[in-house]
């Protein structure tokens, strides 16, 4: 975990990160050092000699004279102002290349507090490194930067200070989400997941901070009629859980949201067993739960005046003699019955229980957001870096997409076409758990919609692709768990 501060003092740190942009003059470069005044002429000549281009994700390290190490991070084409996301990514790319350094100062072209916030956030997010399970090779792996300093004239400005302390909290809980996703499933069972979050609630201040935890074990789930969670979890030796964390602000809440996250700690496909190739990525099938847990904790830590009801249905989807069979009929909380035609369409079953439960509390909700690695079809449609938003309320969706443009997380609206709904009809139950294969992401969304009161604004976020980075690290995004959706949920709460 990195500490983040803001300063305009003399650089004491041994590593200095500056921005590098390409200029319109052929092959030209510009050093973008923000509030730091630097004689750049000689450095530019040297950088050109080295073949630097200033494009995004290019990070160049050179021995320094002012400092031990000078680091140039690509911003792309030179501009009078850089987008928040450009700054966030440039800071993140540099931080990723600087594991093992104790103290690093970032002086990028950020003058407004929102720009400073972006650099601070990008640097702190990029510093993440998951080495918890390295054994004999652990010493080959370097720790994240301990102290991040944002160089800025706004060091004595209250907003500047708020921006860096917010970045620290965001990075802390993004790391929590990423850690949960990266942990092996034998270690992070549904029970362990719920215990870990209980511990996190305690360290975030517990009841004093307005946080409360409730956990349903397999017995309670069964006796209270959570047939989706029980059905999906019944094939596993690691029994399911339902985890609830509520946050009540100390001042009057402007809004009350329910956040629901899919928490399949491992998805083998159950009796519809997935092929071996690529199955390992299904340890990330609890990324939605990780994101909503991180969000409620961060929102409490930031003391935002918004009430949050977080629900994480947790189960392991395993094939065994006790697993749910294709053609079994289960009863979702509240009584709707579902014919399980495909045990690999398990996410919607656990989410259905949680959606109904979330709406059964006496407090009126201003909105429900569910977050899930729900369908392979999402990845086919939008790729690995853009998540989908489906809704029963266009206004809520618009507001959320606005939040996403602030956070820098990529989301795109997708429809819930009424004509696909009939494909979910069952001969024997109220509903089947699979429908048309074509438009599979939308069919899954339509299934969930059946469990939401039409008058309650609801968003369904399918993060199947972006939740887990199986490619190369880029910007502030590491390989493995990304924590996607977490920051946009916090932004939604910040918008009040
Ligand atoms: N967890 C998967 C979806 C998934 C796929 C997430 C790839 C991340 C990457 C989900 O439970 C699943 O298996 N969905 C099935 C649904 C189908 C059986 C209707 C799918 O998408 O193939
Ligand atoms: Mn599945
Ligand atoms: Zn799944």
């Amino acid at each position: 975990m990195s500490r983040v501060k803001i300063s305009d003092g003399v650089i004491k740190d041994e590593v200095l990160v500056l921005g590098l942009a390409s200029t319109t003059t052929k092959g030209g470069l510009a050093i973008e050092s923000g509030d730091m005044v630097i004689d750049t002429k000689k450095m530019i000549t040297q950088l050109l000699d080295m073949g630097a281009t200033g494009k995004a994700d290019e990070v160049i390290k050179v021995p320094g004279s002012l400092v031990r190490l000078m680091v140039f991070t690509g911003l792309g084409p030179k501009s009078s102002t850089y987008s928040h996301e450009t700054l966030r990514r440039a800071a993140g790319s540099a931080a990723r290349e600087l594991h093992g350094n104790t103290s690093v100062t970032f002086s990028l072209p950020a003058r407004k507090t929102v720009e400073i916030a972006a650099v601070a956030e990008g640097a702190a997010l990029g510093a993440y490194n998951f080495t918890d399970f390295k054994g004999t090779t652990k010493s080959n792996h370097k720790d994240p930067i301990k102290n991040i300093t944002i160089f800025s004239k706004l060091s004595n400005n209250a907003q500047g200070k708020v921006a860096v302390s917010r970045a620290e909290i965001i990075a802390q809980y993004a790391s929590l989400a990423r850690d949960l996703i990266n942990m092996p499933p034998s270690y992070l069972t549904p029970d362990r997941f719920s215990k870990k979050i209980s511990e996190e609630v305690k360290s975030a201040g517990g009841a004093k901070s307005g946080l409360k935890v409730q956990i349903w074990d397999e017995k309670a789930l069964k006796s209270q009629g959570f047939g989706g969670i029980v059905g999906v979890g019944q094939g596993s030796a690691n029994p399911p859980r339902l985890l609830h964390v509520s946050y009540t602000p100390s001042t009057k809440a402007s809004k009350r949201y329910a956040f629901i996250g899919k928490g399949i700690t491992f998805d083998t496909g159950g009796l519809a067993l997935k092929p071996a190739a690529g199955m390992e990525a299904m340890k990330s099938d609890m990324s939605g739960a990780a994101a909503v847990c991180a969000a409620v904790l961060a929102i409490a830590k930031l003391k935002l005046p918004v009430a949050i009801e977080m629900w994480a249905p947790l189960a392991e989807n395993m094939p065994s003699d006790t697993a749910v069979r294709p053609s079994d009929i289960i009863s979702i909380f509240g009584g709707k019955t579902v014919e399980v035609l495909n045990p690999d369409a398990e996410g919607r079953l656990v989410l259905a229980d949680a959606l109904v439960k979330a709406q059964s509390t006496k407090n009126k909700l201003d909105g429900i957001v569910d977050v899930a690695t729900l369908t392979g079809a999402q990845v086919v449609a939008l790729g690995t870096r853009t998540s989908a938003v489906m809704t029963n309320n266009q206004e809520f969706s618009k507001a959320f997409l606005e939040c996403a443009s602030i956070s820098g997380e990529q989301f795109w609206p997708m429809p819930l076409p009424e004509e696909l709904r009939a494909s979910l009809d069952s001969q024997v139950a109220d509903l089947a758990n699979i429908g048309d294969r074509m438009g599979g992401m939308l069919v899954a969304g339509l299934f969930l919609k059946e469990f939401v009161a039409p008058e309650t604004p609801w968003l369904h976020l399918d993060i199947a692709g972006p939740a887990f980075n199986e490619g190369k690290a880029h910007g502030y995004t590491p390989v493995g768990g990304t924590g996607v959706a977490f920051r946009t949920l916090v932004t939604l709460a910040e918008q009040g």
Side-chain angles (χ1 to χ4, degrees), residues 173 176 180 193 197 243 245 288-298 310 312 486:
Y173 289 107
L176 170 66
L180 291 169
F193 190 117
I197 296 303
L243 170 66
V245 178
V292 294
C293 286
V296 68
L297 289 161
M310 189 292 297
F486 155 65

Side-chain angles (χ1 to χ4, degrees), residues 4-22:
V4 191
K5 64 178 194 347
I6 182 166
S7 164
D8 65 350
V10 189
I11 304 303
K12 294 197 201 77
D13 295 311
E14 50 196 324
V15 181
L16 175 62
V17 178
L18 303 175
L20 188 65
S22 59

Side-chain angles (χ1 to χ4, degrees), residues 262 267 274 282 285 344-348 372-383 388 390 437 439-445 448 460-466:
K262 171 177 173 182
D267 182 11
K274 288 181 183 292
M282 285 301 116
D285 214 18
D344 197 12
E346 84 298 338
R348 58 197 78 182
T373 48
L374 205 61
T375 64
Q378 188 280 328
V379 199
V380 175
L382 293 172
M390 283 150 270
R437 202 175 77 81
M441 163 173 53
L442 320 178
V443 173
L448 297 178
H460 162 49
L461 312 180
D462 195 335
I463 59 167

Side-chain angles (χ1 to χ4, degrees), residues 73-311:
T73 188
L75 292 162
K78 183 175 160 57
S79 167
S80 54
T81 53
Y82 294 90
S83 78
H84 304 165
E85 185 61 3
T86 299
L87 295 170
R88 213 181 267 120
R89 289 184 189 185
S93 295
R96 267 195 298 109
E97 300 286 330
L98 292 170
H99 297 316
N101 287 283
T102 312
S103 301
V104 178
T105 295
F106 288 75
S107 195
L108 298 184
R111 294 219 157 77
K112 296 190 204 127
T113 46
V114 281
E115 293 166 344
I116 288 159
V119 173
E121 190 178 282
L125 288 169
Y128 177 80
N129 199 15
F130 184 70
T131 58
D132 292 6
F133 290 82
K134 294 282 182 188
T136 54
T137 61
K138 188 155 183 130
S139 58
N140 303 344
H141 295 271
K142 292 172 177 163
D143 290 335
I145 305 168
K146 281 202 182 66
N147 306 302
I148 291 170
T149 302
I150 308 303
F151 187 89
S152 165
K153 280 186 187 144
L154 294 183
S155 61
N156 286 318
N157 173 297
Q159 283 183 338
K161 288 195 174 124
V162 169
V164 293
S165 72
R166 177 189 179 278
E168 206 175 277
I169 293 171
I170 292 294
Q172 179 189 347
Y173 289 107
S175 301
L176 170 66
R178 290 168 174 182
D179 282 351
L180 291 169
I181 299 164
N182 291 331
M183 277 172 194
S186 63
Y187 180 87
L188 193 73
T189 61
D191 182 57
R192 275 276 189 59
F193 190 117
S194 47
K195 283 187 176 137
K196 264 192 104 42
I197 296 303
S198 302
E199 284 161 24
E200 288 291 339
V201 163
K202 249 185 236 143
S203 28
K208 281 206 301 288
S209 305
L211 289 163
K212 259 194 258 163
V213 188
Q214 213 177 332
I215 298 167
W216 283 255
D217 65 9
E218 68 274 29
K219 259 180 68 193
L221 288 168
K222 217 178 225 164
S223 69
Q224 292 172 39
F226 291 93
I229 302 171
V230 170
V232 172
Q234 73 189 37
S236 172
N238 301 308
R241 297 285 182 266
L242 174 62
L243 170 66
H244 176 46
V245 178
S246 66
Y247 164 62
T248 312
S250 56
T251 54
K252 194 178 151 11
S254 61
K255 291 262 168 62
R256 173 178 301 272
Y257 291 122
F259 292 166
I260 301 173
K262 171 177 173 182
I264 300 300
T265 56
F266 195 71
D267 182 11
T268 64
L271 289 175
L273 194 63
K274 288 181 183 292
M279 201 201 276
E280 68 281 359
M282 285 301 116
K283 73 171 178 179
S284 67
D285 214 18
M286 33 53 70
S287 296
V292 294
C293 286
V296 68
L297 289 161
I299 288 165
K301 264 296 196 48
L302 292 166
K303 299 188 166 65
L304 300 178
V306 172
I308 307 291
E309 307 279 350
M310 189 292 297
W311 299 91

